[in-house]
Amino acid sequence: MMEYVVLGMPAEGPTLTLDWQRFSYAGKFEMSSTGKAVVYDQDEIVAAAAFNEDRETQSHAWIRYLTVRSDRQGETLGSHLATSVKETLLNRGYNQVTIAVNNPRAYRALYKAGFHFTGRETGIAELVLKFPGPREPATYRDGLQRFAQRELPEEDERLLESWLEDGTPPETVNGIPMAPSTKAEDNGAC
């Protein structure tokens, strides 16, 4: 059974050591300036997220990094984790959650989690998505078009082409089949 666990909020300074060969951005989870949440399958971490309060607006939060173990990608774990982190942050009093993504698979996963493209990009060519907000098909396609202008792996190009042809934003994840837990002592990985 999958389990969503919040290892700690930013003020608590949680750290997490991930296998750099199996997780993108593994080193970013060693920092203690962000909160951490993970998805466990059995006793193994299969996805992780780091998040913190927006530096300019205290009622807004950012998901800074979200990673899925390389052998588990494509199982909707990223969408489910983003949904869970978003709900955790909203329940903690934040009224907006933002994330920036650098590839079309992450973009689509975040749309499944209820986020929408803002039309903005970061200085490092990441597309900025937020929750809540309007989820218009034209805005969704605009984000996909921006990725279509980039050099991508062949498989991503094929997926992107089919998503552009369809043009419809993916349905959101309704609920999450994971038991939530906020006990850091449950994880053994801090």
Side-chain angles (χ1 to χ4, degrees), residues 19 21-24 41 44-47 67-77:
D19 179 351
Q21 294 176 313
R22 298 173 82 186
F23 288 95
S24 297
D41 186 2
E44 293 188 16
I45 295 173
V46 294
T67 185
V68 175
R69 201 171 73 191
S70 58
D71 64 325
R72 299 296 296 268
Q73 293 177 1
E75 297 179 25
T76 71
L77 292 170

Side-chain angles (χ1 to χ4, degrees), residues 141-159:
R141 283 191 304 276
D142 177 38
L144 290 177
Q145 285 290 352
R146 293 183 192 209
F147 285 116
Q149 298 169 10
R150 300 177 183 179
E151 193 171 312
L152 298 170
E154 193 174 310
E155 187 175 332
D156 285 359
E157 285 180 0
R158 282 195 300 273
L159 285 171

Side-chain angles (χ1 to χ4, degrees), residues 90-153:
L90 294 173
N91 288 336
R92 297 272 181 151
Y94 295 100
N95 60 31
Q96 180 178 287
V97 181
T98 306
I99 187 169
V101 300
N102 63 9
N103 69 76
R105 291 176 192 239
Y107 180 81
R108 190 161 166 90
L110 271 292
Y111 253 86
K112 286 181 182 177
F115 288 76
H116 74 283
F117 179 43
T118 65
R120 293 185 19 240
E121 291 186 41
T122 67
I124 53 175
E126 295 175 321
L127 276 58
V128 178
L129 292 94
K130 290 187 178 185
F131 180 90
R135 292 171 40 87
E136 301 294 328
T139 307
Y140 169 71
R141 283 191 304 276
D142 177 38
L144 290 177
Q145 285 290 352
R146 293 183 192 209
F147 285 116
Q149 298 169 10
R150 300 177 183 179
E151 193 171 312
L152 298 170

Side-chain angles (χ1 to χ4, degrees), residues 1-7 9 36-41 47-49 51 77 80-89 91 176-183 186:
M1 181 173 143
M2 301 275 192
E3 182 181 20
Y4 168 72
V5 179
V6 175
L7 302 179
M9 298 304 286
K36 309 289 185 306
V38 297
V39 173
Y40 283 101
D41 186 2
F51 50 89
L77 292 170
H80 287 299
L81 178 56
T83 298
S84 295
V85 171
K86 173 187 72 178
E87 294 301 320
T88 294
L89 293 168
N91 288 336
I176 184 146
M178 298 177 217
S181 171
T182 57
K183 298 178 183 174
D186 287 351

